[in-house]
Amino acid sequence: MSSYRLHTEYCMSSDRTPKVSVIGLGYIGLPTAAVIAAAGCEVLGIDVNPDVVATVADGRIHIEEADLDEAVSTAVRNGRLRAAIAPQPADVFLIAVPTPFGAGYVPDISYVLAATRGIAPVIKQGDIVIVESTSPVGTTEQVRDLLMELRPDLVLPAAAHAEADIAVCYCPERVLPGRIMVELVANDRCIGGITPACAERAATFYRRFVKGECVVTTARTAEMVKLTENAFRDVNIAFANELSRVCDTSTIDVWDVIGLANRHPRVNILNPGPGVGGHCIAVDPWFIVHADPQNTPLIRTAREVNDGKIEYVIEKASAMAIAQPGARIACCGLAFKANIDDLRESPALKIATRLARDFGDRVDIVEPYITSLPRSLAGSGAVLVDLDDALRRCDIVLLLVDHDQFKSVSSTDRTGKSCYDTRGIWRD
């Protein structure tokens, strides 16, 4: 029996749990590390930010997510979760770093490749390297190729080799902020390997903590699956956002239209909003467009429609502010969705930033999930206030995020105010 197969059986046997290293302790990496630690594995979390490392090492969290604080505290206390800046030897390496886009919506996988360079010196025969970062098709192969270049002493998986020293795979997350700790365990996972053997090895690992089905496929297919899921959502949201503009023109309540249309047994229209945010849906469709611009007019248009809704809201809000000189403006919400603190690609933040630039100290910001204004609003004159103060001080109120706290605002609270509800929760 080969040393590779011997090591595989040893790592994944029931009497030995693998040591796991999670590269990137952000919105996905830290919850993933905590869940794996709860399953009994020894986990080392790696992050380039020393403040993040110190926070996690102390058993605390730097992001808002339901049940994450207790999970991290427990894992650190029982010694199953540690944090460091530099990678150390492990049996499984999970790369969960950002993959933004650059100028011209070109995908930027530099963080993934930097993480690969970081772990290259400490990987050994029998290890599993898994990319969880949302990435363009072919990224996992680039990770394999970089490891092959940096570690010529190891055999990396390829079609020409029946066996390899390292398994290289891709397994995207598919979780909802606010339910990440539940869905990391409950949801099905799509696990793509450079080779079938790689995928099976990674699936064996994931089955340690995932109750959903672990379905194996190729790395390129798994990469495309993740991008497809988010592009599908983006296209459907774009329909709702475009419909909301049409209804505005005709002075029709779009939420009435959607509610009645959805009574059709084969219609399920999503709700509109001020745009689309988050690191996934607002970004990933561009990866598909960039890879094949000639064949993606629908996906590109959906992105343009959803980004255009941001500009539409800014124009309407600005018109309200100009029509009432000196009136104070409350922007309710900065997060990209309800009941979280995540501001990444948030349409609400973009809208508030533009209004603060144009109307300065007339703008109040209400965001219950943050304690200080983000950099884009610093020095603008806008101030962070609580909801009661905003309702007392402001004549114009923009509802940008449907946080639960905002749902409690009654029609009486809004009496005499000019309100622009982009989420459809103040329709009484």
Side-chain angles (χ1 to χ4, degrees):
M1 184 178 289
S2 71
S3 61
Y4 169 82
R5 189 168 295 278
L6 278 170
H7 189 90
T8 300
E9 293 183 356
Y10 176 61
C11 276
M12 297 305 173
S13 63
S14 59
D15 59 350
R16 181 184 185 276
T17 55
K19 292 183 178 180
V20 181
S21 184
V22 177
I23 317 301
L25 294 176
Y27 284 92
I28 298 300
L30 183 56
T32 299
V35 166
I36 296 172
C41 294
E42 180 183 327
V43 182
L44 177 66
I46 304 295
D47 202 280
V48 296
N49 187 329
D51 292 334
V52 169
V53 170
T55 298
V56 174
D58 195 39
R60 296 177 292 114
I61 60 175
H62 60 288
I63 55 178
E64 183 76 23
E65 180 59 41
D67 302 322
L68 179 60
D69 53 350
E70 182 179 354
V72 169
S73 176
T74 300
V76 170
R77 190 169 58 250
N78 64 26
R80 287 180 178 157
L81 175 61
R82 298 181 295 117
I85 290 180
Q88 300 174 17
D91 302 308
V92 181
F93 294 87
L94 268 69
I95 297 175
V97 296
T99 48
F101 56 70
Y105 303 110
V106 176
D108 178 5
I109 63 167
S110 61
Y111 297 100
V112 173
L113 297 180
T116 304
R117 292 187 185 93
I119 66 174
V122 298
I123 61 173
K124 62 186 181 303
Q125 187 180 55
D127 287 353
I128 306 174
V129 176
I130 303 169
V131 179
E132 286 208 356
S133 306
T134 302
S135 305
V137 173
T139 298
T140 309
E141 293 169 356
Q142 291 188 56
V143 168
R144 184 270 316 272
D145 293 346
L146 182 56
L147 289 173
M148 190 180 300
E149 174 188 334
L150 297 173
R151 292 297 303 272
D153 55 310
L154 296 172
V155 177
L156 274 296
H161 298 286
E163 296 180 357
D165 293 330
I166 305 294
V168 181
C169 308
Y170 181 77
C171 180
E173 49 78 21
R174 42 162 64 125
V175 293
L176 182 69
R179 285 181 49 83
I180 291 177
M181 299 302 289
V182 173
E183 296 197 356
L184 279 174
V185 175
N187 290 355
D188 293 349
R189 300 300 290 262
C190 177
I191 303 168
I194 293 290
T195 65
C198 292
E200 290 295 344
R201 288 199 61 202
T204 300
F205 164 69
Y206 277 99
R207 290 184 185 114
R208 289 181 171 273
F209 61 93
V210 173
K211 293 182 179 178
E213 186 176 357
C214 293
V215 183
V216 298
T217 183
T218 66
R220 293 176 71 86
T221 298
E223 289 165 341
M224 191 62 177
V225 165
K226 174 61 175 178
L227 302 181
T228 298
E229 291 168 355
N230 289 328
F232 174 84
R233 292 277 295 166
D234 199 43
V235 168
N236 282 271
I237 295 169
F239 177 81
N241 279 334
E242 188 168 281
L243 183 63
S244 72
R245 297 180 63 167
V246 172
C247 288
D248 267 1
T249 301
S250 302
T251 62
I252 298 171
D253 187 320
V254 67
W255 286 278
D256 278 346
V257 171
I258 291 172
L260 292 169
N262 282 349
R263 288 177 174 268
H264 188 291
R266 288 171 295 280
V267 173
N268 184 24
I269 304 168
L270 301 179
N271 286 320
V276 172
H279 183 63
C280 291
I281 298 177
V283 175
D284 301 347
W286 287 118
F287 294 2
I288 302 178
V289 173
H290 178 262
D292 192 355
Q294 297 302 313
N295 291 312
T296 50
L298 177 62
I299 297 173
R300 175 188 290 275
T301 299
R303 277 281 71 240
E304 292 170 348
V305 167
N306 286 329
D307 283 348
K309 186 63 185 295
I310 297 172
E311 296 300 320
Y312 180 79
V313 173
I314 291 170
E315 289 176 8
K316 287 196 66 174
S318 296
M320 295 169 68
I322 293 169
Q324 300 182 57
R328 295 197 65 80
I329 309 154
C331 293
C332 295
L334 292 181
F336 83 83
K337 68 183 295 292
N339 305 321
I340 62 171
D341 69 342
D342 194 342
L343 307 184
R344 291 178 297 174
E345 300 298 325
S346 171
L349 176 58
K350 293 175 183 177
I351 292 164
T353 299
R354 184 82 67 82
L355 294 175
R357 184 196 71 186
D358 294 343
F359 300 101
D361 58 9
R362 291 172 59 187
V363 177
D364 284 355
I365 305 294
V366 184
E367 177 47 76
Y369 289 91
I370 64 173
T371 57
S372 60
L373 290 177
R375 185 180 307 169
S376 65
L377 286 164
S380 65
V383 292
L384 184 66
V385 302
D386 64 29
L387 180 59
D388 289 340
D389 283 345
L391 292 173
R392 177 176 53 81
R393 288 155 51 106
C394 296
D395 306 294
I396 300 170
V397 181
L398 310 180
L399 191 286
L400 301 174
V401 185
D402 48 339
H403 290 314
D404 286 346
Q405 184 183 84
F406 301 155
K407 294 177 181 178
S408 66
V409 177
S410 68
S411 57
T412 302
D413 296 327
R414 306 193 302 272
T415 299
K417 301 182 185 300
S418 300
C419 295
Y420 181 13
D421 177 4
T422 69
R423 295 289 183 173
I425 65 173
W426 290 347
R427 297 170 56 237
D428 48 0

